[in-house]
Amino acid sequence: MQSLVIVAHGSHLNPDSATPTHTHADTIRATGAFDEVRTGFWKEQPSLREVLRTTHGDEIYVVPLFISEGYFTERVIPRELRLEGWEPELWNSDGISADTATLVASDIDKEVHYCGPVGTHEAMTDVLVRRAESVTGDPEVGNGFGFAVVGHGTERNENSAKAIEYHTERLRDIGRFDEVKALFMDEEPEVDDVTHHFDSEDIIVVPLFIADGFHTQEDIPEDMGLTEDYRNGYDVPATVDGHRIWYGGAVGTEELTADVVLERAADAGADIGDAIARVRQRTNPATQVAGE
Amino acid sequence: MSVADATLSETQLAAFREQLAAEPIEYDGLAADYDAAEDTYSIETPDHQTSLGAAELSTVAGEQAAYISNWYFYTQQVTTERKHAFCRWLELADDRSVPARYDDLESGIDREWGELTITTTLAADGDRRYEIRHVNDSDADGDALTMHTDPFDARDIGTRDADGRYRPLRTAPSLDSGWIFPKLTAAEVYEAVEAFYPATIVNWHREQRGDLDIDHWRDEQDRQSGIYNLITVLPDEAVEWAAAACCDDSQCLKRREWQLSEDEPLAAEGGDCVFPCREPCSMVVAAGREWAKLEREDTQTYEFELTPSEKEQIEAIIDAVADGTVDDIREADLSEGANRYRARYLREKRFDDDGNLSGTPTHPDGHDDDSK
Ligand code: SF4
């Protein structure tokens, strides 16, 4: 019996923080690839401390719904899950290449496969592209468009900027968008000056964040000048300095993120059949069957 | 369906035969055996003992059929130990014999789990059906409640209270009412309860088996790192106040089993809910961190001028906020100290232009408030 456990931050204040976790869990549950899909949170119930004991499986895959490697994935989650003998070196990662480590969780006295965060998986690039398509409503979008991937910056976590750079590079390699840039909230190049960094008239802006919240719904729209006051909302696209800004909000809310969770588990050895293909199809607006 | 009408389906009989071909059955008052040489089945229940040829097996009915369908449900359909224990608890299986239970299940057996009323009934073939509704809706007409079939809907129902406010603690006694899950299977009732009250079944089950692992406050302090290490300096008596403030049944239904340490019990009420709390939750830890900060301040003697009624009014305002009764106080009920007009009047009279009570500065020596 296979169990998938998605672990995420959650919030005491913002009910939307856990929404992507639940949505992706539902999407994966619907594929039937796992006998059960459980969710656990740092700030909500069930807690990370207790989520493993809610499982019934003997093959357990834990996927952190986090953007980058760092304090949470390396220290908080392994400690709270009680992964015996954990050390970040087991991932043998350069900051964006964590894949999986198999350790005994003393809470349940069973081995679990502890996977790297979704944010650094290569499939996350596809989710960024999907968000560009959904925010513009154009499945072919690319030509004539610039693409800004937005992150926090290095202030709190060096690896968080690495994840941003990684996907920026990959998007550039795909060659679909005219220009691709990494922008940050608290360091240069700053998202505030987004229009200075692009020649393209149309700019897609997508924060590499898991959930919408204060940063993605209030700070970034105001900083870019999409609105004076986030409470009044903003247009998509909004015109700033002669550029059209297509602001997409946190990428983690894109349904296709469920696919990255599956990829992580599959990389760790989970047998998920054709679930990845089905999630890709199910979450694609262009192929969605009416009534699904 | 009463015991007298109990019969068995082909599927149930096939499972029964298959199991007996491998080994005898003993479950919940049923003892059954298969004699291959004679090709006969012996079935023993507390009041009956029968021996049947293979061809007659399908004629088993009434009480013996009830015992067999009960065996089938609990061993072939509910397959994990935890779900098994929970479903048995739901129908008071340890207190009543199979026939007595089957009779009671006809009208339904109700149990409460937090603010949930869970009713178990029997389907014609002995399969169980479960209904969940809010305890406050116990007497409501089912048709008047919003119907749900997907157990995971419980997650959304539990996200906000009746006023639409976010419930960060799912075990707070503020679950909204007005909904019903009329017909769930055993697997679904488990998922719905898990979604309403995460991890409560597993911890209840561990406690039932006598192996609930409790992590006390001092264990929590030892484990915390990073910005949370502040809680390591929270004075012991403040932990007492924190437990009384947060873990009381009026705030959280879980029965607090954690103490200061194993040998240092807290005096605060733990509550008497069926499911336990085995360690300080993230809300209490976050609150503890805030209190640790505040408790670093030294006390200071202030002098305020208040009438006796004004002193009592301040106490009434604190009570109203702490008990969450502010919204219950009617606009024109001037007899209530926490009435809005009364509070506004007091502010006009006793605050100076800087918002200081009785004109008394918070820091008389003029230094900044370093706790902020
Ligand atoms: S620590 Fe207190 S408030 Fe938190 S879940 Fe336990 S009993 Fe409830």
Side-chain angles (χ1 to χ4, degrees):
Chain A
M1 184 172 171
Q2 279 191 145
S3 304
L4 174 67
V5 179
I6 307 176
V7 293
H9 193 286
S11 165
H12 291 155
L13 299 171
N14 172 13
D16 297 332
S17 172
T19 307
T21 314
H22 292 313
T23 311
H24 306 325
D26 289 345
T27 304
I28 294 171
R29 221 170 259 133
T31 69
F34 289 87
D35 298 290
E36 64 180 353
V37 181
R38 304 268 166 220
T39 52
F41 301 92
W42 172 230
K43 293 283 181 187
E44 297 178 35
Q45 296 163 308
S47 64
L48 299 177
R49 296 270 299 164
E50 296 187 347
V51 67
L52 288 179
R53 62 180 65 195
T54 68
T55 61
H56 297 88
D58 28 45
E59 287 292 332
I60 300 172
Y61 299 86
V62 178
V63 179
L65 202 59
F66 281 81
I67 283 302
S68 50
E69 296 171 29
Y71 177 64
F72 278 101
T73 60
E74 291 176 359
R75 289 178 59 192
V76 175
I77 298 170
R79 180 191 74 211
E80 299 289 292
L81 297 181
R82 281 163 275 177
L83 302 181
E84 279 176 22
W86 163 258
E87 41 190 324
E89 290 69 36
L90 290 173
W91 266 344
N92 192 21
S93 171
D94 58 7
I96 48 166
S97 62
D99 45 18
T100 182
T102 301
L103 303 114
V104 171
S106 56
D107 185 38
I108 50 173
D109 269 327
K110 277 187 207 167
E111 270 188 354
V112 306
H113 306 283
Y114 181 48
C115 305
V118 292
T120 55
H121 195 280
E122 58 179 16
M124 200 67 190
T125 311
D126 303 347
V127 186
L128 287 162
V129 173
R130 177 70 66 79
R131 176 49 60 87
E133 294 168 0
S134 59
V135 73
T136 57
D138 176 3
E140 307 293 328
V141 66
N143 233 339
F145 277 76
F147 196 138
V149 184
V150 182
H152 258 296
T154 48
E155 200 168 288
R156 291 193 305 185
N157 172 5
E158 180 197 349
N159 288 336
S160 115
K162 279 192 196 165
I164 309 286
E165 302 284 2
Y166 170 70
H167 292 293
T168 303
E169 201 58 45
R170 282 176 51 83
L171 282 169
R172 220 173 260 147
D173 291 348
I174 294 170
R176 176 165 163 175
F177 300 91
D178 288 4
E179 303 166 88
V180 187
K181 300 254 160 75
L183 300 179
F184 300 96
M185 293 185 63
D186 32 331
E187 70 186 46
E188 290 287 328
E190 284 198 26
V191 67
D192 305 33
D193 318 315
V194 57
T195 53
H196 300 185
H197 298 288
F198 286 87
D199 296 328
S200 319
E201 204 174 312
D202 286 286
I203 311 169
I204 296 161
V205 180
V206 182
L208 192 66
F209 281 63
I210 290 297
D212 273 319
F214 173 67
H215 287 312
T216 63
Q217 290 175 318
E218 303 176 19
D219 282 352
I220 299 177
E222 285 183 9
D223 290 352
M224 290 193 299
L226 303 186
T227 174
E228 292 275 306
D229 182 342
Y230 73 92
R231 280 166 297 200
N232 301 333
Y234 50 85
D235 293 330
V236 180
T239 306
V240 178
D241 299 337
H243 292 262
R244 273 188 301 273
I245 309 277
W246 305 76
Y247 179 58
V251 70
T253 63
E254 186 68 38
E255 274 194 85
L256 185 60
T257 308
D259 168 76
V260 190
V261 177
L262 282 170
E263 302 266 4
R264 277 288 183 212
D267 292 349
D271 174 10
I272 57 168
D274 63 350
I276 289 178
R278 280 189 289 142
V279 164
R280 284 188 168 241
Q281 189 178 18
R282 211 186 87 90
T283 61
N284 187 348
T287 57
Q288 248 166 23
V289 184
E292 210 183 44
Chain B
M1 192 202 71
S2 81
V3 178
D5 306 329
T7 53
L8 294 169
S9 70
E10 263 317 307
T11 322
Q12 289 169 325
L13 283 169
F16 187 62
R17 274 191 215 102
E18 194 181 327
Q19 179 64 38
L20 288 177
E23 56 179 356
I25 290 173
E26 246 184 82
Y27 184 78
D28 212 1
L30 167 72
D33 208 346
Y34 173 61
D35 183 338
E38 302 282 328
D39 196 18
T40 54
Y41 291 87
S42 91
I43 303 172
E44 194 181 332
T45 53
D47 295 330
H48 295 276
Q49 185 170 6
T50 41
S51 185
L52 298 166
E56 300 164 308
L57 191 59
S58 56
T59 64
V60 171
E63 191 181 302
Q64 292 204 320
Y67 272 96
I68 294 173
S69 70
N70 182 66
W71 161 83
Y72 179 79
F73 175 72
Y74 277 112
T75 62
Q76 310 296 302
Q77 289 184 283
V78 180
T79 47
T80 75
E81 196 195 327
R82 195 187 309 153
K83 292 178 183 171
H84 183 263
F86 183 60
C87 289
R88 286 183 62 87
W89 180 87
L90 285 177
E91 64 178 57
L92 294 159
D94 290 341
D95 305 344
R96 304 182 199 182
S97 69
V98 171
R101 248 189 288 152
Y102 270 43
D103 282 337
D104 291 341
L105 285 168
E106 201 169 4
S107 56
I109 296 177
D110 293 340
R111 305 287 328 248
E112 283 185 16
W113 191 269
E115 288 185 283
L116 308 176
T117 296
I118 308 173
T119 308
T120 311
T121 51
L122 267 189
D125 57 359
D127 199 359
R128 269 64 164 174
R129 288 286 171 264
Y130 302 88
E131 181 206 89
I132 312 182
R133 53 170 87 192
H134 193 287
V135 283
N136 295 348
D137 291 329
S138 289
D139 299 327
D141 181 354
D143 294 338
L145 304 170
T146 308
M147 192 179 83
H148 294 269
T149 53
D150 181 351
F152 291 97
D153 287 357
R155 209 173 50 201
D156 296 334
I157 296 171
T159 301
R160 291 172 191 272
D161 67 14
D163 298 325
R165 284 181 313 187
Y166 177 44
R167 298 172 69 240
L169 199 61
R170 286 185 179 262
T171 43
S174 55
L175 186 64
D176 196 7
S177 56
W179 45 266
I180 184 170
F181 291 81
K183 204 173 161 201
L184 299 172
T185 64
E188 289 167 343
V189 74
Y190 179 91
E191 289 304 338
V193 173
E194 176 68 25
F196 276 120
Y197 296 128
T200 55
I201 300 177
V202 60
N203 284 329
W204 163 84
H205 184 227
R206 284 197 182 201
E207 189 179 49
Q208 294 271 303
R209 292 186 318 190
D211 59 5
L212 181 69
D213 50 329
I214 297 167
D215 278 18
H216 299 284
W217 183 263
R218 295 216 194 286
D219 305 320
E220 181 71 30
Q221 282 178 319
D222 290 346
R223 204 173 58 242
Q224 290 297 332
S225 63
I227 55 170
Y228 287 96
N229 63 14
L230 255 175
I231 72 159
T232 57
V233 300
L234 191 66
D236 290 353
E237 61 178 348
V239 178
E240 186 70 69
W241 298 325
C246 303
C247 305
D248 186 80
D249 273 354
S250 65
Q251 307 301 307
C252 174
L253 294 171
K254 277 192 189 177
R255 169 171 35 86
R256 182 182 51 75
E257 289 296 328
W258 58 265
Q259 310 293 340
L260 196 52
S261 75
E262 201 174 339
D263 324 309
E264 299 165 285
L266 294 168
E269 292 283 333
D272 50 17
C273 185
V274 60
F275 44 81
C277 172
R278 47 168 294 281
E279 66 177 22
C281 68
S282 74
M283 286 276 283
V284 165
V285 172
R289 182 176 163 255
E290 203 54 43
W291 284 315
K293 246 193 274 176
L294 298 172
E295 290 293 347
R296 288 193 302 202
E297 292 178 25
D298 292 326
T299 58
Q300 169 135 10
T301 306
Y302 293 100
E303 208 169 294
F304 297 115
E305 285 257 298
L306 298 171
T307 67
S309 300
E310 286 166 352
K311 173 184 171 285
E312 285 180 359
Q313 190 188 347
I314 289 173
E315 290 157 358
I317 291 171
I318 293 175
D319 278 340
V321 172
D323 297 335
T325 55
V326 175
D327 291 340
D328 302 338
I329 296 170
R330 288 165 299 174
E331 183 120 350
D333 190 353
L334 277 295
S335 69
E336 289 280 355
N339 169 275
R340 196 171 75 237
Y341 293 125
R342 288 275 307 272
R344 290 177 63 82
Y345 180 93
L346 184 68
R347 183 170 67 178
E348 282 304 320
K349 178 178 172 186
R350 292 295 184 193
F351 283 17
D352 68 8
D353 290 345
D354 297 324
N356 283 315
L357 183 61
S358 292
T360 309
T362 304
H363 299 285
D365 51 5
H367 77 77
D368 280 343
D369 178 356
D370 58 10
S371 73
K372 290 208 178 117

